[in-house]
Amino acid sequence: MLQHPLARPSALVPLVLFAVLALVPFIAQAIGEPFYIALFARIIIYAIAASALNLVLGYGGLVSFGHALFFGIGAYGVALPVFHGIDNGWVHLILVFGVCGVAAAVTGAISLRTSGIAFIMITLAFAQMGFFLFVSLKRYGGDDGLSIAQASRFGPLNLGDTGAVYACAFLVLALATWCLAQLRAAPFGMVLRAARQNPRRVATVGLPVSQYQLTAYVMSGMLCGLAGFLLANLNAFASPSTMAWTVSGELIVIVVLGGMGTVFGPLLGAFVLLGLEEIIKGYTDHSMVVLGPMILLIALAGKSGIIGLLQKLDHAAARPAPVPAKPTRATHANGGEG
């Protein structure tokens, strides 16, 4: 029996999760717990940042340990203009996209001259440079960070309201997920995935692998910066800690946990990791002691993380039921003799 594609667990679970996320603000208001709006907004924002990383890590096979740099630039793209009295959201976005794009182009062009461990270390070094740069800017709070007195404004839309940030983040996530799904199936995405498997073979057919990878890296950096922009408005705060290597590591864990190179993996990874982290925090401050083994088990059980586990359910559900064997003539004969 053929199964409708949307009825498969690997597609149905993410779609149900999207539907639940769309209802979160209404449910939170109904039960009088606005805290959940902020919590799920944070999950969505991290899912956006992980989706950005998934473009280079999952599709392109580039293990970047420096995406926290763009996350932090996005946050300071709000904080610094507001510090100087500019609360126009369009100015903030132009600044975020511009600086993240240039930073990604420069750091990517240098990093992509290497591969493997060297690539990881160079991207990490760039992120740490950004971290220590903003720590040294004492005028803007230094290590203590910088409070954002006025959130980004887009005419009547004020991102100082948590509900407005949630709505914007949800729309960005939905749009980014759709665009990345289209990109994955497009020739550009196919070249990226082929280069992940064998870059030399792709280069021998005349395709400029490094240009494709650099383009993906710039796109990824800009999307990650947009996530930082949303996070800054959600928290009304920007800090150098957003650029710490641990944030890059957390994004990598989210991508791996959800499923590298999959469309919905970053969303599922962010939902599970940050959701469980919030639950476990109610019982212990050492949440990673519990989360670590759980992540390890999921990674071992499913080759592609949570999506891999759901795909196993796809195959199990699609497997036809065994047909009972028809009795043979000999069986009838034996039965008659008995």
Side-chain angles (χ1 to χ4, degrees):
M1 180 179 178
L2 292 176
Q3 191 178 27
H4 192 280
L6 294 181
R8 296 172 181 170
S10 60
L12 183 61
V13 170
L15 291 177
V16 169
L17 180 54
F18 261 108
V20 170
L21 290 175
L23 296 174
V24 162
F26 305 102
I27 297 172
Q29 292 293 343
I31 64 176
E33 292 288 350
F35 159 76
Y36 288 110
I37 301 177
L39 171 62
F40 281 93
R42 181 171 176 266
I43 291 174
I44 291 173
I45 290 168
Y46 268 79
I48 295 169
S51 296
L53 177 61
N54 191 40
L55 176 58
V56 293
L57 173 59
Y59 298 175
L62 302 172
V63 185
S64 169
F65 232 102
H67 265 55
L69 172 65
F70 311 119
F71 207 29
I73 289 175
Y76 275 97
V78 178
L80 295 182
V82 168
F83 181 83
H84 292 283
I86 302 172
D87 63 356
N88 189 306
W90 297 113
V91 173
H92 297 171
L93 278 181
I94 292 171
L95 186 62
V96 167
F97 284 136
V99 176
C100 284
V102 171
V106 173
T107 60
I110 296 172
S111 302
L112 286 169
R113 292 177 177 271
T114 64
S115 60
I117 296 296
F119 179 85
I120 296 172
M121 297 308 296
I122 290 177
T123 55
L124 173 61
F126 279 124
Q128 289 300 99
M129 287 168 61
F131 171 80
F132 287 111
L133 171 64
F134 280 94
V135 166
S136 67
L137 298 177
K138 301 303 180 184
R139 184 186 180 191
Y140 301 114
D143 195 27
D144 295 327
L146 183 62
S147 295
I148 299 173
Q150 176 59 57
S152 302
R153 288 181 177 272
F154 297 89
L157 178 64
N158 182 4
L159 293 187
D161 177 60
T162 305
V165 176
Y166 187 97
C168 290
F170 180 79
L171 290 175
V172 169
L173 176 63
L175 183 60
T177 301
W178 183 83
C179 289
L180 290 172
Q182 300 302 310
L183 186 67
R184 186 177 187 272
F188 181 87
M190 292 179 182
V191 172
L192 273 182
R193 288 186 287 149
R196 179 190 62 193
Q197 300 293 333
N198 195 326
R200 290 184 179 179
R201 183 172 294 179
V202 175
T204 56
V205 299
L207 293 171
V209 174
S210 59
Q211 291 183 21
Y212 277 87
Q213 291 176 331
L214 181 58
T215 302
Y217 196 83
V218 172
M219 293 167 60
S220 176
M222 293 172 71
L223 181 57
C224 200
L226 179 57
F229 163 86
L230 292 167
L231 185 67
N233 279 289
L234 176 67
N235 295 335
F237 186 73
S239 169
S241 62
T242 313
M243 299 182 186
W245 67 269
T246 52
V247 175
S248 293
E250 191 171 13
L251 293 178
I252 291 175
V253 169
I254 288 173
V255 173
V256 174
L257 178 62
M260 287 195 303
T262 62
V263 175
F264 296 112
L267 171 60
L268 294 175
F271 181 79
V272 171
L273 181 66
L274 300 182
L276 287 176
E277 187 179 78
E278 191 64 32
I279 293 172
I280 295 170
K281 277 181 180 177
Y283 300 95
T284 176
D285 293 332
H286 307 288
S287 57
M288 287 310 298
V289 175
V290 180
L291 283 174
M294 293 176 64
I295 294 170
L296 181 62
L297 287 174
I298 293 174
L300 291 174
K303 189 176 180 181
S304 298
I306 298 171
I307 290 292
L309 293 176
L310 294 176
Q311 287 173 343
K312 287 184 178 180
L313 295 178
D314 291 349
H315 298 316
R319 191 176 301 152
V323 179
K326 294 182 179 180
T328 62
R329 185 175 298 176
T331 305
H332 283 297
N334 292 335
E337 290 173 1

